[in-house]
């Protein structure tokens, strides 16, 4: 039924293998026979992203600077992890606590999405954390300076449509996660 065919990898070479950035150069053959010798793929770790909701029906967001675009963004707590070393659930709980000081009382897997499958290898694991409570101070990495922001659930959609919340993974988690709860 499906006439689409996968691309064939003829050769693959790691061209950048740094702790923070890994890039592979593939030589591929397209289904039409055309050879492309410089298709670059970014090898990225998976991401655990959490939609944390307090008992007061507020969503716990983080606001932080993102150097690649030189701006501050309001996002949901998230972080990378290696699936061979840590489960997505464990990473979600850890990232929520480290970035915000909040602890999840209940954690539900929403879904797993691909970030940018045309060029990136990673997945984003989305979780809903209900009844989160503040239990500690933030435990930030040296590169992190994070402001914790609580936003009432009923205000979030307006903030997305007004462009105040505009990071794709965060918007996807909000869209999917809010369908799980009644507010």
């Amino acid at each position: 039924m499906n006439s689409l065919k996968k691309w064939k990898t003829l050769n693959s070479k790691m061209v950048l293998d740094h702790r923070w950035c890994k890039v592979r150069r593939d030589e591929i053959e397209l289904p039409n026979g055309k050879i492309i010798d410089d298709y670059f793929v970014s090898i990225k770790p998976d991401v655990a992203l959490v939609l944390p909701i307090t008992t007061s029906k507020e969503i716990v967001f983080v606001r932080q600077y993102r150097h690649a675009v030189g701006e501050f963004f309001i996002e949901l707590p998230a972080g990378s992890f290696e699936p061979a070393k840590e489960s997505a659930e464990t990473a979600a709980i850890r990232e929520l606590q480290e970035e915000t000081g909040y602890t999840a009382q209940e954690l539900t897997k929403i879904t797993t999405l691909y970030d940018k499958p045309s060029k990136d290898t990673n997945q984003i694991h989305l979780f809903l954390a209900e009844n989160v409570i503040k239990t500690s101070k933030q435990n930030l990495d040296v590169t992190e300076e994070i402001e914790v922001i609580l936003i009432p659930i009923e205000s979030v959609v307006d903030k997305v449509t007004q462009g105040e919340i505009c990071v794709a993974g965060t918007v996807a988690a909000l869209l999917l996660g809010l369908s799980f709860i009644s507010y």
Side-chain angles (χ1 to χ4, degrees):
M1 176 134 183
N2 189 349
S3 62
L4 297 175
K5 295 182 178 146
K6 290 185 176 185
W7 297 0
K8 182 178 178 184
T9 303
L10 303 175
N11 192 10
S12 190
K13 178 183 178 187
M14 194 66 76
V15 294
L16 180 59
D17 193 0
H18 186 274
R19 175 181 172 196
W20 299 109
C21 184
K22 297 180 186 313
V23 178
R24 186 182 76 215
R25 180 179 181 170
D26 290 349
E27 178 183 5
I28 56 171
E29 181 179 350
L30 300 176
N32 65 10
K34 180 169 175 54
I35 305 291
I36 297 177
D37 67 355
D38 61 353
Y39 195 90
F40 292 91
V41 176
S42 180
I43 312 299
K44 293 185 173 181
D46 281 8
V47 173
L49 189 147
V50 186
L51 170 54
I53 302 174
T54 67
T55 55
S56 303
K57 300 295 184 199
E58 294 174 307
I59 298 177
V60 181
F61 285 95
V62 295
R63 183 175 179 272
Q64 59 190 322
Y65 177 75
R66 295 301 195 183
H67 182 71
V69 294
E71 295 294 336
F72 289 90
F73 290 93
I74 297 172
E75 306 172 64
L76 292 171
S80 61
F81 70 100
E82 295 294 336
K85 297 178 182 176
E86 181 180 37
S87 73
E89 292 82 2
T90 302
I93 291 166
R94 176 182 50 77
E95 287 294 336
L96 175 62
Q97 191 286 317
E98 288 177 356
E99 292 188 358
T100 69
Y102 281 79
T103 301
Q105 301 301 300
E106 305 167 39
L107 191 69
T108 305
K109 179 81 178 252
I110 298 172
T111 193
T112 299
L113 304 173
Y114 282 90
D115 191 15
K116 192 173 96 180
S118 61
K119 292 288 185 177
D120 297 344
T121 60
N122 67 315
Q123 296 179 315
I124 303 174
H125 304 268
L126 305 178
F127 293 90
L128 173 64
E130 295 183 89
N131 302 315
V132 299
I133 56 172
K134 179 85 169 163
T135 58
S136 64
K137 294 181 181 178
Q138 292 170 298
N139 183 18
L140 302 175
D141 293 339
V142 67
T143 60
E144 294 177 317
E145 183 179 16
I146 295 174
E147 175 186 10
V148 177
I149 300 172
L150 300 177
I151 300 175
I153 289 176
E154 62 272 6
S155 302
V156 169
V157 172
D158 286 342
K159 292 194 177 300
V160 171
T161 57
Q162 293 167 4
E164 290 179 56
I165 298 173
C166 58
V167 177
T170 291
V171 173
L174 290 168
L175 170 71
L176 297 168
L178 292 178
S179 68
F180 274 64
I181 63 168
S182 59
Y183 57 96

